[in-house]
Amino acid sequence: MVGGAVASLLARSGMAVHLVDERGPVPWDAESPVGLRVSAISPGSEAILEAAGAWQGVREGRYCAYRRMHVEDGQGRGAVTFEAARFGFSHLGTLVENDLVAASLWAACARAPGLRVHAPGRVSSVLQAEDGVRAELDSGEVLEADLLVACDGARSALRRAVGIDSDAWEYNQRGLVAQVRKTRPNPGVAWQRFLEGGPLAFLPLADGTSSIVWSLPEPVARERLAEDDEAFREQLQAASAGWLGDVEQVGPRAAFPLAMSLGDRYVAGRVVLLGDAAHAIHPLAGQGVNLGLADAAGLVESLCGSGLPASRSGWKRRLRHFERWRRSESNLMAGGVHTLGALFRPAMAAPLRGLGMGLLARSWFAREALLRRAAGQGPNAPRLARGESLASLA
């Protein structure tokens, strides 16, 4: 998603772009079951995808905007509710299947001028020079460019190829995902409950069901995957404390490992890391893809100020600005999510947890600041995330 967004944005800014992807376009079928991988797209990311020419495709598919977010402590030490209208938002976010976002971006890339697709394809080697970079594909074709943008995920081969290290934390947890139907339909609320083993989130889908993300210790996650539907429904019923009634139906389940990794750098010469290649964070706050889309918008903004730089020093200056800006923002978000997750795990932190949630519930200003950052429209957000057009960046 991040690679498709930055490719479309750069091409629509007037640059010649080569997009290399291992799979290529995968059609999205409105009649297919709801995918297990969904993302909570923030209003800022929505504006970025609009600028990339992809949001119209999302609007024509399956999505659910939510206007309320409720967060509670499973030990009864407090709860906080965020209402979009109270803070001047039409909605707090939009739940969209990842496959739909990707398909919409492929369509946007197909319409973008000056964009050539190499798919299926893979970069097999990278050679840098003072005035640019050469990328050899596994087909033998060699591409020469001013810049190589790596969006190849948390296990980025391109990051390793250019010698950028990363710090990683394993949580020894898995995020269990499934589609769930309860007695009452989800009224468009993102609901999250912090439990001893990890948070449980219900995210609203267009048909009134919910997509759940349940962070569980590794052995418990394996148990939940192995048990039959009836046993799993009982566990989920207890964990969700009766919210929206009984668990009536559970779809297929899957689980993925939870980890955090932060790149030591985001730039090496003429190679730039975006998205999970630069930073992968715990899904607790649902900010992973939003951080990546903000990276994409930030890179375009850093490069397009007055046309592409002509000199080596000009490129260095622009890329250094991008790296300082986005690394600071990503580390701040990653650190905050990491600390929040740790705060909700040990029982000894319960009094502090309750105090913090109480203060947040009583402070309108604290909630507004938190919402604006989560919405991707805080004070350091890219201009595209705040609704400016690509033309205004020039």
Side-chain angles (χ1 to χ4, degrees), residues 149-180:
V149 184
C151 309
D152 55 338
R155 294 185 175 91
S156 172
L158 290 173
R159 181 183 65 218
R160 295 192 300 272
V162 297
I164 297 180
D165 293 327
S166 65
D167 296 320
W169 290 262
E170 298 289 341
Y171 291 105
N172 295 316
Q173 288 185 316
R174 285 185 173 264
L176 188 151
V177 295
Q179 187 180 356
V180 174

Side-chain angles (χ1 to χ4, degrees), residues 201-237:
F202 279 72
L203 307 172
L205 297 172
D207 62 357
T209 62
S210 299
S211 174
I212 68 162
V213 183
W214 194 355
S215 300
L216 295 163
E218 285 270 5
V220 179
R222 288 194 293 270
E223 290 177 12
R224 297 289 172 269
L225 286 176
E227 57 196 13
D228 61 32
D229 286 354
E230 181 59 33
F232 180 75
R233 281 201 299 269
E234 290 178 4
Q235 295 288 346
L236 184 59
Q237 180 67 30

Side-chain angles (χ1 to χ4, degrees), residues 106-321:
W106 275 114
C109 286
R111 297 189 300 268
L115 192 155
R116 182 184 167 195
V117 174
H118 306 260
R122 186 176 61 87
V123 175
S124 58
S125 65
V126 177
L127 179 64
Q128 297 207 61
E130 289 188 4
D131 58 349
V133 59
R134 289 164 53 92
E136 182 175 354
L137 308 188
D138 52 5
S139 64
E141 184 176 6
V142 175
L143 306 177
E144 296 186 357
D146 292 314
L147 193 66
L148 189 153
V149 184
C151 309
D152 55 338
R155 294 185 175 91
S156 172
L158 290 173
R159 181 183 65 218
R160 295 192 300 272
V162 297
I164 297 180
D165 293 327
S166 65
D167 296 320
W169 290 262
E170 298 289 341
Y171 291 105
N172 295 316
Q173 288 185 316
R174 285 185 173 264
L176 188 151
V177 295
Q179 187 180 356
V180 174
R181 184 179 299 278
K182 283 211 160 196
T183 306
R184 299 190 301 278
N186 190 320
V189 176
W191 182 91
Q192 190 168 45
R193 189 169 191 238
F194 285 90
L195 303 166
E196 185 176 347
L200 167 65
F202 279 72
L203 307 172
L205 297 172
D207 62 357
T209 62
S210 299
S211 174
I212 68 162
V213 183
W214 194 355
S215 300
L216 295 163
E218 285 270 5
V220 179
R222 288 194 293 270
E223 290 177 12
R224 297 289 172 269
L225 286 176
E227 57 196 13
D228 61 32
D229 286 354
E230 181 59 33
F232 180 75
R233 281 201 299 269
E234 290 178 4
Q235 295 288 346
L236 184 59
Q237 180 67 30
S240 58
W243 185 68
L244 296 180
D246 295 335
V247 178
E248 293 189 338
Q249 185 178 352
V250 175
R253 284 161 268 161
F256 53 91
L258 301 182
M260 179 172 74
S261 65
L262 299 174
D264 294 343
R265 294 174 290 152
Y266 290 2
V267 176
R270 295 292 187 95
V271 176
V272 178
L273 308 181
L274 298 189
D276 283 358
H279 46 72
I281 69 172
H282 194 290
L284 172 64
Q287 288 299 311
V289 71
N290 294 312
L291 277 177
L293 291 171
D295 289 346
L299 180 63
V300 174
E301 183 175 330
S302 297
L303 293 179
C304 292
S306 56
L308 289 178
S311 65
R312 180 187 179 193
S313 61
W315 275 101
K316 276 189 172 182
R317 186 171 60 254
R318 302 252 184 121
L319 294 178
R320 192 161 50 241
H321 166 266

